[in-house]
Amino acid sequence: MKTSIEPIIFSKEIKGLGTISLRSFDLDKDIDILYSWVTKPYAKYWGMLEQSKDEVYKGYEEIDQNLFHHAYIGELNGEPIFLMERYKASEDILADYYEAEMNDFGMHILVAPAQKRIPQFTWYIFSTIMEYFFSLPYVERVVVEPDVNNEKIHILNKKAGFVYQKEIQLPQKTAALAICTREDYTKALKNLFNKNESDS
């Protein structure tokens, strides 16, 4: 267990929606809701559709024991709405596929099934996570490796300024490697602001 790691809390106010917050994953407290998410058809890219609750528990127990990999639960006004994982890329298998730098950090995101349609909801989550990453002084680049067929996440990645590098063959999937620097993200937000201004 990561008893020496202080939980990192991050929150952001979204006008008209409320507070999106990030807290450390609690294996015993959160396993039921996590299991209900990862075994739904919409979560097929998470790779756990056929796993039992015990298998999911053991998978996240391994993350809990890994000093370079952390799991977090995202909440909207106190209600769990997504899972986020942060890992140090240079200490991950991903480092075998590109020139990983010491301050590269990877992420995985799984948003819970929508209870009702909220415009831009996944973008609010995604941008909150990106702001969390870049609030950490030791994070210089965020690296992602989504399944090449996961079109929804590609749209979000590109909207946030990720630059796609190449396709890589990971053990469990063919992935698209993409990287986002602080400057890339800042530029993407500026472009979005300018577009919204011109559309209004």
Side-chain angles (χ1 to χ4, degrees):
M1 296 288 183
K2 299 172 189 162
T3 53
S4 62
I5 303 296
E6 289 295 321
I8 299 172
I9 304 299
F10 185 84
S11 63
K12 179 182 177 182
E13 291 290 327
I14 307 293
K15 187 177 179 180
L17 190 62
T19 303
I20 295 179
S21 57
L22 202 59
R23 64 167 172 80
S24 294
F25 182 77
D26 184 319
L27 188 56
D28 293 317
K29 174 183 175 182
D30 297 319
I31 187 60
D32 287 341
I33 192 165
L34 176 62
Y35 178 69
S36 74
W37 293 348
V38 301
T39 52
K40 295 284 195 309
Y42 85 98
K44 62 182 179 179
Y45 294 116
W46 211 253
M48 290 185 161
L49 289 184
E50 305 300 324
Q51 292 195 5
S52 66
K53 186 187 291 187
D54 188 55
E55 288 171 326
V56 173
Y57 186 98
K58 287 178 179 176
Y60 278 85
E61 191 172 43
E62 289 180 11
I63 290 175
D64 196 47
Q65 294 168 353
N66 185 336
L67 292 176
F68 301 105
H69 199 149
H70 305 266
Y72 301 89
I73 288 289
E75 298 181 336
L76 173 61
N77 301 326
E79 292 296 321
I81 56 168
F82 67 92
L83 172 75
M84 190 274 283
E85 295 175 17
R86 169 175 64 91
Y87 63 90
K88 189 168 174 57
S90 61
E91 301 294 333
D92 186 81
I93 189 175
L94 189 60
D96 294 338
Y97 296 85
Y98 84 112
E99 293 294 327
E101 297 181 4
M102 288 302 294
N103 291 325
D104 286 356
F105 285 80
M107 71 171 175
H108 299 139
I109 304 169
L110 179 67
V111 179
Q115 301 300 314
K116 63 178 181 178
R117 188 179 182 280
I118 301 174
Q120 300 293 311
F121 186 58
T122 53
W123 174 246
Y124 291 141
I125 291 172
F126 198 89
S127 58
T128 298
I129 291 170
M130 292 298 291
E131 288 176 29
Y132 158 71
F133 268 88
F134 289 131
S135 75
L136 303 173
Y138 49 82
V139 175
E140 301 222 347
R141 304 195 302 178
V142 180
V143 184
V144 292
E145 23 70 37
D147 190 293
V148 292
N149 296 312
N150 191 345
E151 291 299 333
K152 289 183 178 180
I153 198 66
H154 297 320
I155 292 170
L156 284 172
N157 287 339
K158 291 172 182 176
K159 186 175 181 178
F162 278 88
V163 178
Y164 277 63
Q165 309 290 317
K166 61 182 178 178
E167 289 189 5
I168 56 176
Q169 187 60 54
L170 296 174
Q172 72 279 22
K173 64 184 178 183
T174 302
L177 179 72
I179 297 172
C180 185
T181 65
R182 292 172 186 271
E183 293 74 20
D184 291 332
Y185 182 61
T186 300
K187 183 179 178 181
L189 290 185
K190 185 177 180 180
N191 289 340
L192 281 174
F193 177 79
N194 290 338
K195 180 179 184 299
N196 291 336
E197 285 290 296
S198 65
D199 289 345
S200 60

